[in-house]
Amino acid sequence: MEKTKTTSVPEEFGSQVFNDKVMKERLPKDIYKAVKKTIENGTHLELDVANTVAAVMKEWALEHGATHFTHWFQPMTGLTAEKHDSFISPTGNGGVIMEFSGKELVKGEPDASSFPSGGLRATFEARGYTAWDPSSPAFIKDGSLYIPTAFCSYGGEALDKKTPLLRSMEALSKESVKMLHLLGDADVTHVDTTVGSEQEYFLIDKDLYLKRKDLVMCGRTLLGASAPKGQEMEDHYFGVLKPKVSEYMHDLDHELWKLGVPAKTKHNEVAPSQHELAPIFETANVAADHNQLTMEIMKKVADKHNYACLLHEKPFEGINGSGKHNNWSIVTDTGINLLDPGKTPAENTEFLTFLAATIAAVDDYADLMRISVASAGNDHRLGANEAPPAVISIFVGDELEAVLESIINDTDFKAAEKTQMGMGAHVLPHITKDTTDRNRTSPFAFTGNKFEFRMPGSSLSVADPNVVLNTAVAEELSQMFEKLKDVPAEEFDEKLHALIKEMLTEHKRIIFNGNGYTDEWIAEAEKRGLYNLKSLPDAMPRLLVDKNVKLFVDHKIFTKVEIESRYEIYLENYAKTIHIESLALQEMVKKDFTAGLLAYQKVISDEAAKKKELLPDLTCGYETDLMKTLDTESEAIMTELKKLDADTAKAETIEEPLEKGKFYHEVVLEDMSSLRGAVDVAEAIIPDQYLPYPTYDSLLFSLR
Ligand code: ADP
Ligand code: MG
């Protein structure tokens, strides 16, 4: 890793990116304009324009040391995929020249047959294609030009996470613009969804990591007794960065900056060895690409620093897992943040409209929001005491809640002295940030000028939750528009106010400002009729209910076939994940743990025998006690191992995806937990030196 940086950060930032600045400098004026138009309005790019862009892009890439190009996409694995082609083209006399055409820039044809496609595989041919997303800039990494693309089947069905995200941003833009025009804001032609995703991660020593099969294969520890110290002292959160960790973060920032990722904040998190990185927010699809890059670069830089970076949602039992907070808002092309309450009543009308739409969206589609963050990993986190519950609710803060109450009850809102602005139920005070950002336990919190969705797990693609949010809000706006579009001008304000009141009254059950981590809230949520979908198999059937299918189909996000394929992919992925975990756990217990157990038992019995030989009257009570405990646990371990083995085999015979997922959840995961329980009791009394893998103490407290 290069240490001495001669360039300044502004020079370094985006130096590997074919960004607007580069395009403006290098593209002919008319071509630059055409590309900008495509980026801003999503219009079609003519082939001759694409050819010129490709030629300029290639020259730039060669200057930056690239020899290859790749279409970079985000298949349903949740990871990114890439296949590299070199620029070389034979000249006929044994030499080569470097070539790159507009066609190669715009479209690629990777073999799609090995990517998850759910039921789609049966209905489409193996070929898929990737299509350039010009709104996310190309960049250079490891000698290749990376071209962000969307990935579809030959029939046009989405096989990736980006296509629906782009479609949902379009849907939200369309409905927002309609609504804004109706509200009298005629200048707006387009809105963007903005996303800032805070990324949590763990760093552990690489050598220790490599000795744990569970971490290497599954990303989380499947067994292991707790360390005497966890996070109870709360001494890690925002604590002083350790020098080596600080060096890592420093390099990470620079690597990300070169790629144009606006990494902004870094700090220690609650759990030992846990950290967070937050970027400055960007347009949702760019933010999604940049978050994927961030995760990749985090791992890569960790490797160079002799660390392993864990992005699993729950790498260690008993201490906090990792999330990815999705900060979300909507901004117009005239620069207005529609979720900023602002200071004037006129803006407040827009704000209240979009706020009401968002509240209604989250209530009406809470089941989809839950599904959008469901994964085998995140199931361990949601509902655990450090993470939001699986129940979706909205935190708006006391001040905003008082405003909403005043609208619902037709009373004048009396703002607190310091923020008093104007009166009248539809006139808001300026909502100061410190009155909105206090509740860290809410799954979906209003934080001043944006909403923060805190349920996404650390390894999730942010595309997933934003597809649901964008589409659901688009739907509510569209319903509002239908109710208001024919209202005469003189009645408009009154009717709008009445509609907002009606929506808030209907959806106020989703608003909860209290502590989301308590059992009382779970009971209360049930009374309010809110969903509590605890696991992926619990949640997944909701994807196929009529209202949800209709939502996606109406807004052209997914066809019914695409939804069904996704349903299968998520369940398949869930079952596969737990299947691998089960096998990894069994192997670790049978080989690694057992080796340690037997070695220690031998030492104890040898010691006891030696003592007895020397002094036959000794009781050897301590040794006997240890032996007995280890023996009892060994019996339990053997029984649990057999059960896990048999149940895992049984799970694999189940064909129907939901039934299979449920069996893994209800039976196999339970078996794993029982087996782990017995192993952990024994492990806690076996000295580290007998175990071939590092224990929690060293994993969590080894960083310097
Ligand atoms: P914190 O939550 O730590 O107080 P901020 O509220 O400033 O910090 O920002 C948290 C994240 O939210 C950052 O990634 C930031 O860029 C992002 N963010 C801020 N404003 C918006 C917005 N309008 N839309 C989307 N994300 C935003
Ligand atoms: Mg935050």
Side-chain angles (χ1 to χ4, degrees), residues 196 198 276 278 325 327 433 437 440 447 450 452 454:
E198 301 165 55
E276 180 186 296
H325 295 171
N327 294 273
K433 196 179 148 75
D437 204 17
R440 312 301 296 178
T447 50
K450 63 185 188 293
E452 180 170 345
R454 302 197 177 111

Side-chain angles (χ1 to χ4, degrees), residues 199-204 231 236-239 241 245 249 267-276 310 312-313 315-316 319-323 381 386 458 700 703:
Q199 177 72 49
E200 291 181 339
Y201 61 99
F202 278 88
L203 284 183
I204 59 166
Q231 62 194 45
H236 195 253
Y237 191 54
F238 280 24
L241 300 179
V245 173
M249 290 180 170
H267 60 78
N268 284 353
E269 262 299 330
V270 176
S273 299
Q274 192 186 28
H275 311 282
E276 180 186 296
L310 306 181
H312 193 281
E313 284 76 13
F316 304 101
I319 59 172
N320 280 7
S322 299
R381 179 177 159 266
E386 87 281 358
S458 45
L700 288 168
L703 295 195

Side-chain angles (χ1 to χ4, degrees), residues 36 94 112 147 188 203 361 399 487 555 667:
K36 283 295 270 186
I147 302 157
V188 177
L203 284 183
E399 200 168 5
V487 173
H555 292 276
V667 180

Side-chain angles (χ1 to χ4, degrees), residues 235-253:
D235 50 359
H236 195 253
Y237 191 54
F238 280 24
V240 179
L241 300 179
K242 297 193 172 125
K244 269 196 69 198
V245 173
S246 175
E247 268 176 44
Y248 164 81
M249 290 180 170
H250 177 87
D251 277 345
L252 176 61
D253 278 340

